Amino acid sequence: MQDLPLGTGLRRTSTVSRRDALRYATALAGLGAVSLGGGIPTAAAAAPTLIDFAAKQIPAQDIRAAGHAGVVNYVSLSRPGSSFGAKPITRPYAQSLTAAGLVIVSNYQYGKPGGTAPSDFTRGYAGGIADARTAWQLHTAAGGGQSAPIFFTIDEDINRDTWNNVALQWFRGINSVLGVQRTGIYAGIDACEWAAADGVIGRSSTPGRWWAWQTKAWSGNQVHPGAVLYQRVVSTASNPGPLVGGLEVDVNDALASDVGQWNLHP
């Protein structure tokens, strides 16, 4: 794991003892086994993995057979003109995952750059309110934890001006509905840092970690020490991800014992 110079937001986590590593492992609450070294598992080592996908609901037994500890699943609808089988997560599917010992983390993404709906973060404060209400309704309908965070998506590379003048207002709208503690972000490394520095995402119960799900895209091969999830494999047409249940998936390393999984946030 490569560290960044730290700003006022995401903070460095110190090395932990073997005893603390054991506590980390036993506290994973369904995230699977990790190796117990001298510190917190890194993205390149023994971190449990969660997959994310949209096209269809992958059977729980296939996810387990592939060695993953759970899923990040959508609490959003399909964009106009599309029909994604995994959007939104349904209660029966969530129950099948839980019964198989898999964990679930919630993510919201409706729009997309160049898609039939614009990127969600461009919708401003009022759009943030509307998106948060939709996300929470779908999250709770599927059985999501009452105190679990929802990760809201910035699926493109943005600069600081766009963050300050556009995306930040969207997040503040989300905060007005969910509160900061139930708000997370999916983004590249810079936007994750800005979100924490501006106080619009909550903190994990794992010390030094925030509700920051960082993608390797737009991150310069750096993993921020404050992130709870790192999207190490981003499936694209030119670089497809691994097949699970016949579907190409993205793969995310769990970098904390508490990544916002439902079973830790009833």
Side-chain angles (χ1 to χ4, degrees):
M1 176 186 294
Q2 300 181 58
D3 292 344
L4 285 182
L6 298 180
T8 57
L10 301 173
R11 300 180 299 172
R12 188 183 306 275
T13 303
S14 60
T15 300
V16 298
S17 66
R18 182 177 179 83
R19 179 172 153 188
D20 286 339
L22 178 61
R23 182 176 63 185
Y24 169 87
T26 57
L28 283 173
L31 282 180
V34 298
S35 65
L36 301 179
I40 292 176
T42 67
T49 52
L50 280 65
I51 58 173
D52 66 275
F53 48 90
K56 68 176 185 178
Q57 294 178 342
I58 300 175
Q61 62 268 26
D62 291 340
I63 298 171
R64 281 191 61 87
H68 301 292
V71 305
V72 184
N73 217 145
Y74 289 99
V75 289
S76 50
L77 300 173
S78 296
R79 292 181 291 278
S82 62
S83 180
F84 295 108
K87 296 180 73 169
I89 188 170
T90 62
R91 185 175 287 264
Y93 183 56
Q95 289 172 336
S96 74
L97 295 171
T98 301
L102 299 170
V103 302
I104 304 168
V105 175
S106 289
N107 166 239
Y108 181 91
Q109 183 180 9
Y110 180 68
K112 183 178 181 179
T116 55
S119 295
D120 301 327
F121 75 88
T122 65
R123 291 167 24 82
Y125 187 89
I129 291 174
D131 292 341
R133 287 174 175 167
T134 298
W136 191 247
Q137 189 276 321
L138 294 171
H139 170 89
T140 55
Q146 290 296 304
S147 63
I150 297 173
F151 291 82
F152 290 82
T153 300
I154 297 182
D155 200 13
E156 58 189 280
D157 194 13
I158 65 171
N159 60 29
R160 189 59 183 265
D161 285 344
T162 300
W163 169 262
N164 288 341
N165 298 315
V166 183
L168 180 56
Q169 309 314 312
W170 182 60
F171 272 96
R172 286 179 171 155
I174 293 166
N175 291 165
S176 73
V177 175
L178 298 183
V180 171
Q181 186 53 31
R182 292 187 300 191
T183 302
I185 186 172
Y186 165 93
I189 194 167
D190 289 339
C192 287
E193 169 67 24
W194 301 331
D198 286 332
V200 293
I201 57 173
R203 296 175 183 266
S204 165
S205 65
T206 302
R209 303 281 171 162
W210 299 71
W211 299 139
W213 173 16
Q214 181 196 335
T215 176
K216 68 178 290 184
W218 323 301
S219 292
N221 295 317
Q222 295 176 307
V223 181
H224 203 292
V228 292
L229 288 166
Y230 177 66
Q231 191 179 57
R232 174 170 46 87
V233 177
V234 183
S235 182
T236 63
S238 60
N239 188 29
L243 288 174
V244 179
L247 184 69
E248 293 170 4
V249 301
D250 301 332
V251 180
N252 306 276
D253 295 319
L255 304 179
S257 58
D258 180 5
V259 300
Q261 60 266 45
W262 292 5
N263 58 319
L264 282 188
H265 299 273

